[in-house]
Amino acid sequence: QSVLTQPPSVSGAPGQRVTISCTGSSSNIGAGYDVHWYQQLLGTSPQLLIFGNTNRPSGVPDRFSASKSGTSASLAITGLQAEDEAYYYCQSYDNSLSYVFGTGTKVTVL
Amino acid sequence: EGQLVEFGGGLVKPGGSLRLSCAASALSFTDYHMNWVRQAPGKGLEWVSSISGSGSFKDYADSVKGRFSITRDNGKNSVYLQMNGLRAEDTAVYYCAGRGYTYGDAFEIWGQGTTVTVSS
């Protein structure tokens, strides 16, 4: 149902770097719409992590970074920590479907 | 810091109706486009509906169009989701989320969610 595709899971040891891809199309990310990222800890509501493709709200650690290119975007977590274990969702806008979310990625800290 | 609190969820039979409410506090409510986003059990996030700050613009996901209706009362700092013709596939946690102007069109503030279960 989601038009933005993410890998179901990624994992890494503490201190490592992990990346999460978000693949869209010419009607959403490729059309120039911004990509945002949300973190959802287990049992809690989503929280804004990255806005406007690359920007962190105040309070978000700088180990989180993101980029966008063409019809895709990616989120990177460097220096992985135990508290980063969560689900991560990308979000954008689609010409036909309005707001769209990614399929979600579970990050596991080994 | 702003806060959103949802309520009104519950158990309802297929074909039934339910009205969700979301109360905002400590924010300039009319500056926020308000949204409902749902999450079915064990599934990802799905945008449901949006309403502009004045209430003049509304949008719906195809999956709920014609069955759900979003409204807001700026005097009460509240947004509502009237859900009619409920189906089993509408079972989910429903989140209220606000889009202001500080972070582009990102959903910068979220409530804790209210659970809707559609079952006979």
Side-chain angles (χ1 to χ4, degrees):
Chain A
Q1 190 172 7
S2 299
V3 297
L4 304 181
T5 303
Q6 300 178 230
S9 63
V10 299
S11 62
Q16 285 190 328
R17 180 179 188 268
V18 298
T19 61
I20 301 169
S21 60
C22 173
T23 302
S25 69
S26 58
S27 64
N28 41 69
I29 298 175
Y33 295 112
D34 283 344
V35 177
H36 317 295
W37 292 88
Y38 302 87
Q39 179 191 58
Q40 186 177 31
L41 299 170
L42 188 63
T44 69
S45 57
Q47 297 296 314
L48 181 62
L49 187 68
I50 297 285
F51 70 97
N53 305 314
T54 61
N55 305 292
R56 289 185 308 275
S58 60
V60 173
D62 60 5
R63 65 177 183 275
F64 293 95
S65 63
S67 63
K68 172 191 167 185
S69 179
T71 59
S72 297
S74 66
L75 174 71
I77 310 174
T78 56
L80 194 63
Q81 298 186 8
E83 60 260 37
D84 299 334
E85 190 159 288
Y87 282 87
Y88 293 82
Y89 294 91
C90 59
Q91 181 236 322
S92 187
Y93 190 86
D94 186 274
N95 286 330
S96 301
L97 303 173
S98 297
Y99 295 105
V100 288
F101 285 93
T103 48
T105 299
K106 182 178 182 180
V107 170
T108 301
V109 182
L110 301 172
Chain B
E1 190 167 317
Q3 185 178 18
L4 301 176
V5 178
E6 305 95 332
F7 48 97
L11 174 64
V12 61
K13 290 182 169 51
S17 298
L18 209 56
R19 187 196 195 209
L20 305 184
S21 301
C22 170
S25 59
L27 53 82
S28 182
F29 189 61
T30 55
D31 287 344
Y32 284 78
H33 291 231
M34 298 303 296
N35 302 269
W36 289 96
V37 177
R38 68 185 180 183
Q39 187 168 35
K43 302 297 184 182
L45 303 173
E46 179 190 15
W47 169 79
V48 172
S49 183
S50 293
I51 187 167
S52 61
S54 65
S56 59
F57 176 77
K58 304 176 185 181
D59 198 8
Y60 300 92
D62 288 344
S63 57
V64 306
K65 204 169 290 184
R67 300 187 298 124
F68 290 12
S69 176
I70 190 170
T71 57
R72 66 189 293 161
D73 184 336
N74 288 339
K76 294 183 178 179
N77 285 358
S78 294
V79 60
Y80 310 97
L81 187 68
Q82 177 66 43
M83 304 185 294
N84 299 328
L86 283 161
R87 306 166 180 167
E89 54 264 36
D90 295 319
T91 294
V93 174
Y94 284 72
Y95 296 102
C96 173
R99 191 206 99 185
Y101 296 103
T102 304
Y103 302 108
D105 64 349
F107 296 174
E108 65 184 70
I109 182 170
W110 294 69
Q112 85 290 348
T114 188
T115 300
V116 173
T117 303
V118 184
S119 174
S120 54

